[in-house]
Amino acid sequence: MCLHNLLTPIPALRDCLLIAGGILMIAVAPGLRAEARPNIVLIMADDMGYSDIGCYGGEIPTPNLDQLAAGGLRFTQFTNTARCSQTRAALLTGLHPHQTGVGILAEDPNQTAPPDAGPGYIRYLNRNCVTLAEVLGCAGYHTYMAGKWHLGYHDREKWPRQRGFDRFYGIISGASSYFQPRPPRGLTLDNEPVPPPEDPEYYTTDAFADYAVEFIRDQEDDRPFFLYLAFNAPHWPLHARDEDIAKFVGRYRMGWDRLREERWAKQVQMGVVKREWGLSPRDDGARAWDELTLSAQVQLDFRMAVYAAQIHRMDWNIGRVIATLKERGVFENTLVFFLSDNGGCAEPYSDLGGGTFEAINKPHAGGAGGPAHPEDGSSYGTGWANASNTPFRRYKARLNEGGIATPLIVSWPAGLKTAPGSLTGAPGYLADIMATVLEVTGATYPSFFRGEPITPPAGHSLVPILVTGDRPTPEWFFWEHYGERAVRHGDWKALRAKSGDRWELYDLARDRNELQDAAATHPDLLAAMTNQWEAWAAQSQVYPRTTNEGSPTPP
């Protein structure tokens, strides 16, 4: 925290005291009790598709998330950035990722920005943004993080403790072994790398939840807390516990075509999607299931079984965190968000998956510290990613709905005004989380921090939706990802692929699967939307770009 954390730089302490309505004012404000301000728990899955969990149409058992949804609110049109680092940057700062310096994937062990990188592409959080932890720390909150950081690697000044978190346990890099994370993709506790785990039962998903629970239980006062629990599941490599895998082996022998149909039917029944949108065609990067050999089908069934086991185990651990909140008597006044950082991952864009079959569940596949690429470890491939993102087109790293649509579950028994189990089709975006947290906690967003000017927040509060299920004014939403562009206003979305020579236009109210390009019939609307995109890009550090973006272009 800003006043008791001795590792927090002194300028940050001064900034906390200078923020209007900051920690000192909160401490003495008449009638303001710590328990009146909600705890904030932000849980994020890694590379999980829109339809993977039960309450969004999936067959994977996720009873704890389903229970949160049954008592809370589900968003059907919430969006991320289509890639992990950029989503984490926007989620934690309330800005567009380029405004934070993370317009492309953040630093990793062998990755830094080129010398000519523009300010939007430096690969770590800059000093002109503040994180939720920094803002809430200055409002008197304890701040905890467990899981995957991936917002700056090559300097402790870029790590979670230096960006507002009192406690941290997890991985700084973007991927690791689940069983034996080792340098350079090893584990960190607070500010120090820790030795590789010797416990043969170690599993990152369990360990991240262990520390999240420990942080909550170790708190001795009744001040509110912010917990950011960023699982690495179900990101490649395919690593899961044998007992969890056994629950799913054979379940997917019917293939991705049948799975997509089953999920879509369940989504329609739930009201998560509209029947009139239909089911998008199978991705052109995946063959029909019956065109594959029997051997390929058996191996692909196992790959999907491991992926399902990763999600199932994550849900079990989320249940442990929720149980801890209830044990401490704080669940009712805890605002919980659950979402995914992007759509299901098709890397390396083969329907047979990435890595050798023998590499699945091998702790050191891809090197001592874990894989740097899906080819080094193991992944489930284009066909299963297409199924994960049912009913939409495409996948992670694309700005189609399959890349950016995420489940968002909001639970807050003491604060939500919508009926338990409600669905909302109101669109939303990652930057809206900061604005929402500011409103419900009374925390103040600073104009200066650590002596640097802070970029004004880009999002809009979701509180009207949490009260009524909607917000009346259509917002503008903008994306840029490695040259691909998109903009949404109301029900209309314009999209231009990196390899495309023109913008496409879709009416998402009638065609959320983006199959009927309306660019030719609405040229004036398209021009207005693309002009808005250009104006946003000019002021959001999309330009100038870097000459080396360091990422392959998905097909």
Side-chain angles (χ1 to χ4, degrees):
M1 281 306 310
C2 292
L3 292 182
H4 75 263
N5 180 357
L6 298 180
L7 293 178
T8 302
I10 293 300
L13 303 183
R14 182 174 61 249
D15 285 335
C16 284
L17 299 180
L18 291 175
I19 293 174
I23 186 168
L24 293 183
M25 184 174 293
I26 287 173
V28 300
L32 182 61
R33 299 177 302 160
E35 61 266 29
R37 294 180 292 159
N39 304 302
I40 308 295
V41 174
L42 181 55
I43 306 173
M44 188 159 65
D46 194 354
D47 284 12
M48 190 196 79
Y50 184 77
S51 70
D52 280 326
I53 59 177
C55 54
Y56 278 80
E59 75 295 330
I60 302 171
T62 53
N64 295 292
L65 287 171
D66 296 351
Q67 187 173 12
L68 281 181
L73 176 67
R74 280 171 292 167
F75 284 67
T76 62
Q77 298 200 59
F78 201 81
T79 51
N80 50 45
T81 71
R83 205 61 169 265
C84 47
S85 294
Q86 293 94 315
T87 283
R88 292 159 208 277
L91 180 67
L92 284 181
T93 67
L95 301 175
H96 295 290
H98 306 77
Q99 294 176 300
T100 75
V102 189
I104 54 177
L105 285 173
E107 297 175 331
D108 254 339
N110 299 311
Q111 200 171 58
T112 56
D116 67 340
Y121 303 91
I122 59 175
R123 293 183 178 267
Y124 59 87
L125 290 181
N126 62 33
R127 292 295 175 176
N128 300 115
C129 64
V130 286
T131 68
L132 279 164
E134 288 168 328
V135 170
L136 290 175
C138 289
Y141 275 66
H142 293 285
T143 56
Y144 311 128
M145 178 182 173
K148 170 178 166 178
W149 178 241
H150 206 197
L151 287 172
Y153 178 90
H154 292 286
D155 184 344
R156 277 181 173 80
E157 288 303 309
K158 304 167 185 173
W159 291 8
R161 284 298 301 272
Q162 283 61 245
R163 296 313 305 246
F165 288 96
D166 298 344
R167 302 298 313 277
F168 169 71
Y169 174 84
I171 57 173
I172 300 295
S173 63
S176 75
S177 168
Y178 284 67
F179 296 118
Q180 295 182 13
R182 296 174 182 273
R185 297 176 176 276
L187 296 161
T188 297
L189 177 59
D190 293 325
N191 256 355
E192 297 299 327
V194 295
E198 297 182 358
D199 182 356
E201 295 300 310
Y202 182 89
Y203 188 64
T204 54
T205 306
D206 295 346
F208 296 162
D210 288 343
Y211 275 88
V213 167
E214 178 181 315
F215 294 157
I216 296 170
R217 287 178 174 166
D218 284 353
Q219 182 174 314
E220 296 180 353
D221 57 39
D222 62 355
R223 283 161 46 199
F225 62 84
F226 166 50
L227 168 66
Y228 174 40
L229 178 53
F231 289 106
N232 59 331
H235 192 289
W236 47 259
L238 293 172
H239 283 175
R241 291 191 176 280
D242 290 338
E243 63 268 28
D244 291 327
I245 298 172
K247 300 173 184 178
F248 300 99
V249 173
R251 171 67 177 84
Y252 298 102
R253 285 290 299 276
M254 82 296 200
W256 43 64
D257 295 319
R258 173 90 172 272
L259 182 64
R260 294 182 74 231
E261 292 172 356
E262 290 179 355
R263 289 189 176 189
W264 177 72
K266 186 176 177 183
Q267 289 176 318
V268 170
Q269 182 181 23
M270 288 179 160
V272 170
V273 302
K274 295 181 180 179
R275 182 179 297 277
E276 54 265 35
W277 295 340
L279 176 63
S280 65
R282 181 193 327 110
D283 191 88
D284 52 18
R287 287 167 283 182
W289 183 257
D290 59 12
E291 293 179 8
L292 301 169
T293 66
L294 177 61
S295 174
Q297 290 178 353
V298 170
Q299 292 192 9
L300 285 164
D301 167 75
F302 189 78
R303 287 178 186 266
M304 184 61 191
V306 179
Y307 176 87
Q310 291 173 302
I311 292 175
H312 182 57
R313 190 74 179 192
M314 176 182 66
D315 177 82
W316 179 77
N317 279 289
I318 290 171
R320 295 172 57 214
V321 174
I322 298 302
T324 302
L325 297 175
K326 292 179 178 179
E327 289 166 8
R328 290 185 61 89
V330 298
F331 175 71
E332 292 290 314
N333 197 30
T334 296
L335 173 56
V336 180
F337 299 94
F338 171 83
L339 72 164
S340 180
D341 64 346
N342 44 248
C345 177
E347 297 165 356
Y349 310 110
S350 164
D351 58 8
L352 296 178
T356 66
F357 186 70
E358 292 71 27
I360 297 173
N361 256 20
K362 295 298 186 294
H364 300 307
H373 303 286
E375 296 92 334
D376 298 335
S378 48
S379 58
Y380 72 161
T382 310
W384 292 131
N386 192 196
S388 283
N389 301 327
T390 301
F392 307 129
R393 297 174 59 213
R394 301 305 189 193
Y395 30 71
K396 171 185 177 179
R398 296 294 297 267
L399 296 181
N400 297 94
E401 292 296 285
I404 64 174
T406 175
L408 175 66
I409 301 170
V410 179
S411 169
W412 186 17
L416 270 179
K417 303 303 181 185
T418 52
S422 294
L423 293 166
T424 174
Y429 175 66
L430 298 161
D432 297 341
I433 300 294
M434 170 70 84
T436 306
V437 170
L438 291 173
E439 182 168 350
V440 302
T441 64
T444 301
Y445 188 91
S447 56
F448 283 85
F449 198 75
R450 291 192 178 90
E452 299 288 344
I454 300 302
T455 305
H460 299 84
S461 175
L462 300 172
V463 166
I465 303 174
L466 306 187
V467 173
T468 68
D470 200 2
R471 53 184 173 187
T473 305
E475 306 292 352
W476 285 90
F477 303 99
F478 302 95
W479 297 266
E480 193 279 340
H481 180 268
Y482 288 87
E484 191 157 312
R485 312 165 193 181
V487 52
R488 175 172 178 166
H489 184 61
D491 290 325
W492 289 96
K493 177 182 174 183
L495 172 69
R496 181 171 178 173
K498 183 176 182 179
S499 58
D501 58 359
R502 66 180 186 84
W503 285 83
E504 303 162 13
L505 182 66
Y506 299 102
D507 179 359
L508 299 186
R510 296 181 175 86
D511 178 31
R512 185 120 182 258
N513 290 330
E514 301 166 313
L515 298 174
Q516 302 168 28
D517 182 4
T521 55
H522 293 82
D524 293 342
L525 173 61
L526 180 61
M529 294 183 71
T530 57
N531 287 340
Q532 286 286 343
W533 186 93
E534 291 291 348
W536 165 79
Q539 66 183 14
S540 299
Q541 298 188 165
V542 174
Y543 306 123
R545 306 185 65 85
T546 174
T547 58
N548 176 17
E549 292 179 338
S551 177
T553 302

